[in-house]
Amino acid sequence: MDISVNDIREALDWMSSYGKNQTGGMTRLLYSNSWLEVQLALKEKFEQIGMETRFDEVGNLYGRIIGTKPESGTIATGSHVDTVVNGGNLDGQLGIFGGYLAVKNLLENHGRPKKNLEVISMAEEEGSRFPYVFWGSKNLFGLAKKEEVENLTDSEGIKFVDAMHECGFDFKKDAVGSMNDVKAFIELHIEQGNALEMEGKSVGVITGIVGQRRYNITLKGEANHAGTTLMKYRKDVVQVFSEIVYDSLHKARAIGDPLVLTFGKIEVKPNTVNVVPGEALFTMDCRHTDKALLKSITTGLEENMKQIAKKHGVEIDIDLWMDEPPVPMNDEMIRLIEKVCREKGLNYRMMHSGAGHDSQIIAPRIPTGMLFVPSIKGISHNPAEQTELTDLKQGIEALTSSLYELSYQ
């Protein structure tokens, strides 16, 4: 029997009851009460279908079905259990309850697999409580460092270490990872964009996660009287900023997909109505799936910004503070997932991910694939985050069939 829409609704409603706000949104932050409650409830849920369960030192939860040939390794799926503040009820947890439903269905229809089957509820990805991201997936491989988090506090002044200890967890004793026997990993996630919905597709087969380059850029001109300073004598940083934005976005549109370029923040000094602005700080976020092209494009944009600033007699300082390379998914995993979607007659397309996910930590170390389902109106990190149940069904069907190919054949 296939997984029904009712099965999906019940699992979604059940998991969403942990951390649900009165506004209808979700707040389930790392090492909070609702976070601990859902991890313990998931542990019990996993055990009810015959999974062996365990927590690692930091609170990642593993539910495993032991295969008939366990020495042949493990096939894993899952995602992050934490949410943003007042977020939606699909981001992250879809990959967990979707993985649970997939494994439950496989057991009911095919019995025990040859390889072990595992669902991982990762402790954290969002960085919403403490300023650190991918705490869960980095700890799968011993990549997270104690010194990076031991002095962190949340918005209420609660220390990271104290919150972790309160939930009964601690730092890993060594850098040994938890994924040594895992042969492949698949993450099911909502798109958090509108490409699938706009194209009328129910499933996205992900080829890779974009690289990101983020900048803080400072312009220093000359603040002066707005009424008495003639236009030809001004060193107006807003004019320079405007030219940079217009010219850069024009170039980005000419290059086209999959490049995206965003100027998301500007702070102007002195920021008053009757003074020519003399200083500005703004941000630039550039993303592309090709590492060399991303570097080439942004280098060109940097040079162009310098020329515009020089033309107006304005100083410019360009700080590249994030330089994350693109992360491709495994070619064999892409082919397998696409084959499954084609054979099942699913309404799918090939695409890349414009947002970061746990899979970008996992993919360089284990053969990894990703599946997307649409986000209605492209909305995510918002109580209005939603996906049609029929689309969720197709995504979970693609996951189930992929896990079958990997663990039973």
Side-chain angles (χ1 to χ4, degrees):
M1 287 177 57
D2 287 338
I3 298 165
S4 71
V5 166
N6 284 336
D7 293 334
I8 296 167
R9 183 188 292 110
E10 287 177 5
L12 172 59
D13 290 346
W14 173 81
M15 196 168 176
S16 300
S17 67
Y18 297 92
K20 189 173 184 178
N21 301 335
Q22 291 181 347
T23 60
M26 292 278 297
T27 302
R28 197 163 59 214
L29 306 181
L30 176 65
Y31 300 138
S32 65
N33 288 336
S34 57
W35 176 93
L36 182 60
E37 287 171 358
V38 77
Q39 287 289 69
L40 293 173
L42 280 166
K43 182 177 185 293
E44 185 176 335
K45 200 86 165 172
F46 291 167
E47 289 169 352
Q48 287 172 358
I49 63 168
M51 285 182 156
E52 294 186 0
T53 61
R54 66 183 177 89
F55 284 103
D56 65 16
E57 295 97 323
V58 303
N60 290 314
L61 171 65
Y62 307 78
R64 176 176 289 199
I65 295 293
I66 303 299
T68 58
K69 296 182 178 179
E71 68 280 359
S72 59
T74 298
I75 304 301
T77 187
S79 194
H80 61 95
V81 76
D82 68 315
T83 72
V84 297
V85 175
N86 201 32
N89 66 352
L90 289 167
D91 179 11
Q93 73 173 22
L94 168 61
I96 300 168
F97 77 76
Y100 162 79
L101 289 174
V103 172
K104 183 173 183 287
N105 180 265
L106 289 171
L107 289 173
E108 290 171 350
N109 286 285
H110 304 286
R112 286 173 62 196
K114 291 180 181 178
K115 295 186 180 72
N116 307 318
L117 260 179
E118 188 165 71
V119 180
I120 308 173
S121 180
M122 295 177 221
E124 189 274 345
E125 185 250 23
E126 299 283 5
S128 295
R129 184 178 184 184
F130 302 98
Y132 189 95
V133 296
F134 300 120
W135 176 247
S137 53
K138 284 182 177 179
N139 271 287
L140 299 181
F141 302 96
L143 301 174
K145 296 180 174 59
K146 178 180 179 179
E147 57 269 23
E148 295 174 330
V149 299
E150 61 184 345
N151 295 318
L152 297 181
T153 58
D154 67 9
S155 61
E156 297 178 357
I158 298 171
K159 293 182 178 180
F160 184 102
V161 176
D162 291 343
M164 179 171 61
H165 288 167
E166 185 69 22
C167 285
F169 299 106
D170 205 341
F171 294 109
K172 292 180 76 70
K173 301 298 184 291
D174 51 48
V176 176
S178 308
M179 307 284 277
N180 294 336
D181 72 336
V182 176
K183 304 302 181 185
F185 178 84
I186 305 178
E187 183 176 11
L188 172 63
H189 208 281
I190 55 170
E191 180 190 353
Q192 301 179 284
N194 64 353
L196 288 171
E197 183 182 47
M198 294 296 288
E199 297 186 18
K201 300 295 184 182
S202 297
V203 178
V205 180
I206 307 308
T207 56
I209 298 172
V210 294
Q212 302 182 41
R213 292 191 126 201
R214 294 185 185 179
Y215 294 82
N216 287 330
I217 301 159
T218 304
L219 299 172
K220 291 185 178 180
E222 184 176 78
N224 216 328
H225 197 291
T228 62
T229 310
L230 299 178
M231 299 299 289
K232 61 184 176 181
Y233 297 131
R234 296 184 177 202
K235 294 182 180 180
D236 183 346
V237 293
V238 167
Q239 181 181 356
V240 174
F241 169 74
S242 300
E243 288 189 28
I244 286 172
V245 171
Y246 177 84
D247 200 57
S248 299
L249 292 177
H250 179 75
K251 286 179 166 62
R253 288 193 179 95
I255 294 168
D257 295 337
L259 175 72
V260 289
L261 180 67
T262 305
F263 294 88
K265 177 182 178 182
I266 180 170
E267 297 175 357
V268 178
K269 297 178 182 179
N271 197 28
T272 189
V273 65
N274 60 348
V275 179
V276 176
E279 186 173 338
L281 169 69
F282 63 96
T283 62
M284 185 175 78
D285 178 310
C286 190
R287 309 186 188 199
H288 200 285
T289 54
D290 185 284
K291 181 179 180 179
L293 280 174
L294 178 61
K295 183 176 182 180
S296 172
I297 290 164
T298 51
T299 300
L301 293 176
E302 290 175 38
E303 290 304 314
N304 193 56
M305 286 189 278
K306 291 175 184 176
Q307 291 174 16
I308 292 171
K310 183 178 180 181
K311 180 178 69 174
H312 292 281
V314 168
E315 296 177 18
I316 186 168
D317 178 71
I318 301 173
D319 174 27
L320 172 63
W321 63 270
M322 176 191 280
D323 188 6
E324 293 288 342
V327 179
M329 296 297 103
N330 177 267
D331 287 341
E332 289 186 15
M333 293 290 286
I334 294 169
R335 284 193 291 270
L336 181 143
I337 296 170
E338 183 184 15
K339 169 179 157 298
V340 161
C341 289
R342 189 171 59 248
E343 290 177 350
K344 293 282 291 183
L346 302 180
N347 183 23
Y348 78 96
R349 62 159 287 186
M350 311 301 291
M351 63 186 295
H352 69 273
S353 172
H357 298 285
D358 287 306
S359 285
Q360 73 189 63
I361 304 298
I362 299 169
R365 297 162 179 88
I366 290 171
T368 298
M370 277 202 82
L371 284 159
F372 277 178
V373 292
S375 297
I376 294 174
K377 296 182 180 178
I379 294 173
S380 182
H381 286 186
N382 183 313
E385 176 181 283
Q386 190 176 359
T387 299
E388 296 288 353
L389 287 169
T390 51
D391 290 332
L392 291 178
K393 186 175 188 299
Q394 288 210 31
I396 295 173
E397 283 179 357
L399 175 64
T400 305
S401 295
S402 298
L403 293 176
Y404 175 81
E405 292 288 329
L406 290 163
S407 60
Y408 283 82
Q409 297 301 304

